[in-house]
Amino acid sequence: MDIKIDNLIEELTLDEKIKLCSGASMWTTEEISRLGIPAIIMTDGPHGLRYVVEENEFGATSNKRTTCFPTSSALASSWNKDLLYLVGKTLAEEAKSLGVNILLGPGINIKRSPLGGRNFEYFSEDPILTADMASEFIKGIQDQGVGTSLKHYVCNNQEYKRFSINVKVAERALREIYLHAFERVVKEVKPWTIMAAYNRVNGIPATQNNYLLKQILREEWGYEGLIISDWGAVHDRIKALKSGLDLEMPGPARVNSEKIKQAIEKKDLEEKILDNSLKRILKTVFKAKKNKIIVDYEEHDKIAQKAAEESIVLMKNENNLLPIDFAKLNSITVIGEMAVNPRYQGSGSSKVTPYNLSDGFTVIKNSIPKSTEFNYSSGYKTDEKLEIQLKDAVNKAAKSDYVIVFAGIPEEYESEGFDRKNIDLPEIQNKLINEVAKVNENIIVVLNNGSAVNMSSWINEVPAILEAWLPGQAGAKAIVNVISGKVNPSGKLSETFPVALEHNPSHLNFPGFNEEVNYAEGIYIGYRYFEKKNITTQFTFGHGLSYTEFEYKNLNVKNEVEARNKIKVSLKIKNIGNRAGKEVVQLYISQKNPYYDRPVKELKKFKKVVLNIGESKEIEFTLSYRDFAYYNPEIGDWIVENDIYEIILASSSKDIRLKKQIRVNSKDTAHNLDVNDPVIDWLNDQIGKKALMEALNDNQIDYLEDKENIYVTERPLYRLDFLSENMITEKEINKIILNYRIFRGDCYFN
Ligand code: BGC
């Protein structure tokens, strides 16, 4: 393959080479038929294929009908890796059937604020959950010979000024939070392409950011795939090429093509750089399979339904109000415009035209016995008089055994292109829920939204709440199956629901101003922040109820382990309720005495387990070095401190079931000592102590070790000559520093 590509490159004219480095149209690459180089087709596709048939300057006006799956915030709440693989595989089949070669997704940006307009399209506030979900999704697609585009690299966490905003982010937060999932996915599943974002990162546009594209992505992580620009994201085409951005999309990019030509002619750009990009472009083009298949959209609808069923989170279920036995139901009232016109997907470039669409009104009506009295009231339909609708809803609710209110965030509130203004439901919906709750205590609220909402005005009045997210075309069928108990809910929240927007860690710095947003909260995103500050949440990360119960026992892990070895953790989990169900076992790690500040605990592994009534299963996790590590900006690397760590097994980030402290032996240094560090730190550090011992005599060491003498031990090393009245000289201090560097292997002397 490489030889063929090299030959092809030799045969291409400079104009042809330049042409190939940008798209031929909105969704295709260039074709050079004289050399048998075909075009490839890309479409948006995180939760369904958006195959555009017609478009104008404002966007798509007509798409092919394809399966609309739940959006990523929902899929992540399934915590089910096999499901993500299946959804990916199914999407790839549809791609193949339409001749699409690359799906422009998934988006794996971290949900820094619940206000992010595109949060529905992203997986989680947590990089580990994001990485695991995205990896399986990509595997599912790429195993079928269809490519993906991991997007948006990186720090594209808001819509406000998304084309230009400068993200100011510290190295540790960048590595641990924003790059982490990209790193894992790149290393583990090698996405065919990566899409560089519109925004700037620490002053430099992501599409020409040498540090991010070349140093980290290519050199550190060894990424060999294709880097493409987000649509229209190239600022300086020459700098972009030099940083390794291969393909500019969309095309044709006539102005930039001219610039490339001039730069090569003026020798500002080496042709070799263009050739390297071409190699990656051609490799991708020839990897794309052309065999069309036929798909069964009705079968895919079932997969979309299963995906929604796994993703729904039962947030609250007082006195086991749910499930409702439909066979014994006398009367039910369904309230809410969203029961008829469901909110099932987000808006913007990911919006697909669904193949089918189920709605709560019809599905409930068809699922209950003929004899059951069924009422509907729109409640908050906006084009009629609200007070009349409200009264009608309350009157009907008062007469029914059960009331199901479909509430949520309207499309105009969250979309690609703008951020949310707040996390509240429309006021009329809050009022409606409160009024209905006053007349009927069997009220169930079903929520459709892409990211966290505030329920404080009615949360205590409502016994049962289902977070159904934006559940895709079959969402209503899934919701009704959960309500009726045909499906035992098993979703867990992929993001924290705060009591108030103001509690969110990014609140003072979202969305920024003067073209800049400062990620001042550092690594403290989502539950990492709420736990550290001990702030009560409405619903915690990882929370989700089931109709059955699970018992955790027999946690088994060695008491002492080596950081560089693989570490096995096992436990037993049993279904002790009276229904089959699924539990998401979450493994968190907490470091007990960190030198560098760390979150209270962090998610590292999870597993979704299926258990019949009474059944138990043994679960095993394997932990490795990186699970204990943090990014140490001073050292410029990941390190594990020699310390005690707690292994925590939990049903949510708050619901801890088993834990055990273990010692992790590590030789990593958390901090390089220097003259400014106090004597006590030198004495406590293994290498530091050795450096002291080599440089000083016994009397001098005794003087330093005199713990009574805080005056000395708490002072920096550089003050020692003065403090000791030259008993320890400046020369000896320099010797200590030199010894330390030699013992660390930082420098060598004969
Ligand atoms: C979005 C991308 C999308 C592209 C093509 C951009 O505006 O940010 O996510 O893939 O358009 O539609």
Side-chain angles (χ1 to χ4, degrees):
M1 167 77 85
D2 277 357
I3 300 170
K4 188 180 157 207
I5 285 173
D6 285 342
N7 291 348
L8 272 177
I9 290 175
E10 265 178 36
E11 290 195 38
L12 285 164
T13 64
L14 181 60
D15 284 340
E16 284 171 337
K17 283 184 184 179
I18 294 172
K19 227 172 145 191
L20 278 166
C21 286
S22 65
S25 70
M26 195 69 176
W27 309 110
T28 55
T29 59
E30 285 287 352
E31 174 185 353
I32 310 277
S33 43
R34 84 175 174 91
L35 294 173
I37 300 172
I40 55 172
I41 302 178
M42 313 176 195
T43 68
D44 279 307
H47 68 270
L49 243 78
R50 187 176 70 125
Y51 191 103
V52 178
V53 182
E54 273 174 49
E55 55 194 329
N56 60 24
E57 67 268 39
F58 304 111
T61 50
S62 148
N63 298 329
K64 288 211 165 142
R65 281 166 64 215
T66 52
T67 307
C68 178
F69 292 92
T71 72
S72 296
S73 40
L75 288 175
S77 300
S78 74
W79 298 59
N80 185 337
K81 297 180 209 176
D82 297 339
L83 176 77
L84 270 280
Y85 185 94
L86 178 64
V87 171
K89 178 173 173 277
T90 315
L91 278 168
E93 284 166 5
E94 294 193 13
K96 277 165 114 174
S97 82
L98 296 173
V100 171
N101 309 109
I102 292 177
L103 285 185
L104 301 172
I108 62 164
N109 298 91
I110 294 296
K111 300 190 195 190
R112 177 173 173 253
S113 162
L115 296 181
R118 239 174 143 171
N119 274 6
F120 64 86
E121 217 179 316
Y122 301 140
F123 290 101
S124 174
E125 67 188 25
D126 180 79
I128 283 87
L129 179 60
T130 300
D132 279 8
M133 293 287 114
S135 290
E136 289 305 315
F137 180 80
I138 291 173
K139 257 196 260 168
I141 296 173
Q142 294 194 168
D143 281 357
Q144 318 311 312
V146 174
T148 56
S149 194
L150 189 65
K151 66 191 189 185
H152 310 87
Y153 187 75
V154 62
C155 292
N156 182 181
N157 311 94
Q158 63 185 47
E159 294 306 289
Y160 171 76
K161 294 202 172 172
R162 70 169 173 147
F163 299 114
S164 58
I165 194 96
N166 179 36
V167 174
K168 220 170 123 191
V169 57
E171 188 68 13
R172 183 172 178 200
L174 184 65
R175 296 282 187 159
E176 289 187 23
I177 305 293
Y178 299 100
L179 285 178
H180 182 93
F182 282 98
E183 179 182 2
R184 284 259 322 274
V185 173
V186 162
K187 288 181 175 169
E188 288 169 17
V189 296
K190 301 185 175 44
W192 285 19
T193 79
I194 290 181
M195 190 189 289
Y198 288 117
N199 51 283
R200 289 175 286 156
V201 181
N202 292 329
I204 304 173
T207 44
Q208 61 193 60
N209 198 310
N210 207 58
Y211 180 58
L212 293 170
L213 298 180
K214 206 165 176 186
Q215 252 172 272
I216 296 185
L217 190 51
R218 295 264 189 238
E219 289 163 14
E220 264 186 49
W221 302 346
Y223 182 62
E224 290 176 353
L226 185 67
I227 302 180
I228 68 177
S229 72
D230 197 345
W231 267 228
V234 169
H235 294 238
D236 179 326
R237 184 61 177 119
I238 309 306
K239 284 190 180 155
L241 266 170
K242 286 182 180 171
S243 306
L245 185 124
D246 306 307
L247 180 69
E248 174 172 4
M249 285 302 289
R254 291 195 186 93
V255 177
N256 278 342
S257 296
E258 197 44 46
K259 285 186 182 164
I260 297 175
K261 197 166 180 190
Q262 282 172 12
I264 291 179
E265 280 165 3
K266 282 200 225 143
K267 305 227 174 322
D268 285 344
L269 177 71
E270 287 177 73
E271 198 169 335
K272 203 175 70 197
I273 292 181
L274 194 67
D275 289 352
N276 284 341
S277 281
L278 270 175
K279 263 186 212 167
R280 292 187 282 259
I281 291 168
L282 293 177
K283 258 192 188 169
T284 313
V285 164
F286 287 110
K287 202 151 58 166
K289 302 269 179 305
K290 297 278 171 208
N291 51 332
K292 279 205 177 184
I293 58 169
I294 293 172
V295 298
D296 181 344
Y297 281 97
E298 292 308 329
E299 275 307 305
H300 288 189
D301 186 68
K302 288 184 193 145
I303 297 172
Q305 181 180 333
K306 181 179 154 58
E309 286 169 353
E310 290 264 344
S311 306
I312 291 170
V313 180
L314 178 60
M315 310 266 248
K316 188 174 176 190
N317 192 21
E318 259 173 27
N319 304 322
N320 295 330
L321 180 65
L322 290 175
I324 303 172
D325 187 348
F326 278 4
K328 296 190 186 137
L329 195 61
N330 288 320
S331 55
I332 190 163
T333 295
V334 172
I335 296 176
E337 167 70 3
M338 285 184 191
V340 176
N341 291 318
R343 177 90 210 291
Y344 62 99
Q345 67 170 329
S347 234
S349 61
S350 67
K351 190 168 183 174
V352 308
T353 303
Y355 194 83
N356 293 331
L357 185 57
S358 69
D359 65 81
F361 173 93
T362 313
V363 181
I364 293 176
K365 206 161 185 242
N366 292 343
S367 309
I368 54 177
K370 293 254 167 327
S371 55
T372 305
E373 185 190 320
F374 176 84
N375 297 305
Y376 169 73
S377 181
S378 63
Y380 52 83
K381 195 171 172 188
T382 39
D383 54 1
E384 287 170 24
K385 287 217 171 87
L386 290 173
E387 285 306 317
I388 299 173
Q389 291 168 51
L390 197 81
K391 252 196 201 141
D392 179 61
V394 170
N395 286 342
K396 286 175 176 157
K399 292 187 298 191
S400 273
D401 289 351
Y402 290 91
V403 190
I404 301 175
V405 180
F406 284 79
I409 298 291
E411 191 172 313
E412 315 81 77
Y413 282 49
E414 57 179 347
S415 168
E416 177 178 340
F418 58 85
D419 295 310
R420 287 162 75 190
K421 292 195 176 64
N422 54 51
I423 56 168
D424 301 331
L425 292 173
E427 201 34 50
I428 183 67
Q429 292 190 22
N430 284 331
K431 191 170 172 193
L432 170 79
I433 295 169
N434 269 307
E435 293 300 313
V436 170
K438 279 184 201 156
V439 299
N440 193 323
E441 56 185 19
N442 291 338
I443 169 173
I444 296 121
V445 173
V446 176
L447 290 169
N448 288 124
N449 43 281
S451 193
V453 289
N454 186 346
M455 306 169 213
S456 28
S457 76
W458 46 263
I459 195 162
N460 295 327
E461 323 307 323
V462 170
I465 305 168
L466 281 189
E467 177 52 81
W469 303 108
L470 301 181
Q473 65 180 42
K477 291 187 263 185
I479 291 166
V480 176
N481 275 352
V482 169
I483 291 175
S484 69
K486 256 194 193 166
V487 166
N488 191 349
S490 61
K492 303 263 185 180
L493 292 181
S494 48
E495 65 186 86
T496 307
F497 278 51
V499 168
L501 171 64
E502 293 74 19
H503 293 182
N504 186 266
S506 68
H507 188 63
L508 296 177
N509 292 288
F510 188 95
F513 61 95
N514 276 357
E515 296 289 329
E516 185 159 285
V517 52
N518 184 7
Y519 287 13
E521 68 288 344
I523 58 169
Y524 288 102
I525 291 297
Y527 70 91
R528 286 168 172 75
Y529 175 80
F530 289 96
E531 292 192 347
K532 193 79 170 189
K533 296 271 288 186
N534 207 5
I535 297 175
T536 306
T537 57
Q538 200 162 60
F539 291 105
T540 189
F541 175 78
H543 167 77
L545 305 172
S546 164
Y547 296 148
T548 184
E549 277 179 60
F550 303 96
E551 178 188 64
Y552 289 54
K553 55 182 180 184
N554 300 1
L555 170 58
N556 191 12
V557 53
K558 281 189 185 153
N559 296 329
E560 186 167 352
V561 296
E562 302 303 315
R564 297 271 169 192
N565 290 352
K566 295 266 179 255
I567 298 151
K568 296 261 183 246
V569 177
S570 66
L571 72 147
K572 246 201 180 142
I573 174 151
K574 184 172 182 189
N575 182 346
I576 53 169
N578 49 16
R579 258 169 207 270
K582 295 176 187 170
E583 171 69 325
V584 178
V585 179
Q586 303 163 38
L587 188 157
Y588 296 82
I589 297 184
S590 162
Q591 186 182 344
K592 290 293 116 187
N593 316 292
Y595 177 86
Y596 251 79
D597 180 43
R598 295 200 77 172
V600 175
K601 66 177 185 300
E602 289 176 286
L603 179 76
K604 297 296 170 185
K605 302 275 169 199
F606 59 89
K607 219 166 243 178
K608 193 162 194 175
V609 208
V610 188
L611 291 164
N612 281 322
I613 303 166
E615 189 183 7
S616 30
K617 276 189 185 152
E618 170 140 339
I619 302 175
E620 193 173 90
F621 296 104
T622 305
L623 299 173
S624 45
Y625 182 80
R626 273 293 284 273
D627 295 319
F628 294 90
Y630 64 89
Y631 190 84
N632 185 314
E634 187 191 338
I635 309 281
D637 206 350
W638 295 89
I639 75 146
V640 174
E641 287 181 18
N642 188 43
D643 199 2
I644 305 288
Y645 292 77
E646 197 158 51
I647 308 295
I648 298 164
L649 276 312
S651 181
S652 81
S653 58
K654 275 247 149 55
D655 186 0
I656 294 173
R657 302 297 183 86
L658 299 167
K659 56 185 181 188
K660 182 176 169 184
Q661 293 198 353
I662 63 168
R663 163 154 289 285
V664 178
N665 296 322
S666 170
K667 294 200 171 63
D668 295 351
T669 312
H671 165 65
N672 285 333
L673 292 170
D674 63 33
V675 281
N676 297 311
D677 286 303
V679 169
I680 187 78
D681 284 6
W682 281 85
L683 288 166
N684 286 339
D685 183 274
Q686 239 183 343
I687 303 177
K689 177 93 184 266
K690 198 170 157 206
L692 290 173
M693 306 281 280
E694 287 282 320
L696 305 178
N697 63 36
D698 289 354
N699 281 346
Q700 289 169 314
I701 296 287
D702 286 349
Y703 169 77
L704 294 184
E705 283 191 326
D706 181 1
K707 293 228 168 51
E708 304 292 296
N709 197 355
I710 313 172
Y711 190 63
V712 171
T713 51
E714 305 250 307
R715 296 300 156 100
L717 193 73
Y718 78 83
R719 293 287 286 165
L720 269 188
D721 50 349
F722 172 81
L723 291 173
S724 69
E725 290 173 354
N726 243 8
M727 182 181 53
I728 297 170
T729 62
E730 192 184 346
K731 217 168 147 193
E732 283 164 331
I733 295 171
N734 289 340
K735 181 82 178 117
I736 295 168
I737 299 290
L738 194 61
N739 284 347
Y740 177 74
R741 294 182 60 201
I742 295 170
F743 296 150
R744 277 183 41 83
D746 291 347
C747 59
Y748 303 91
F749 292 90
N750 293 322

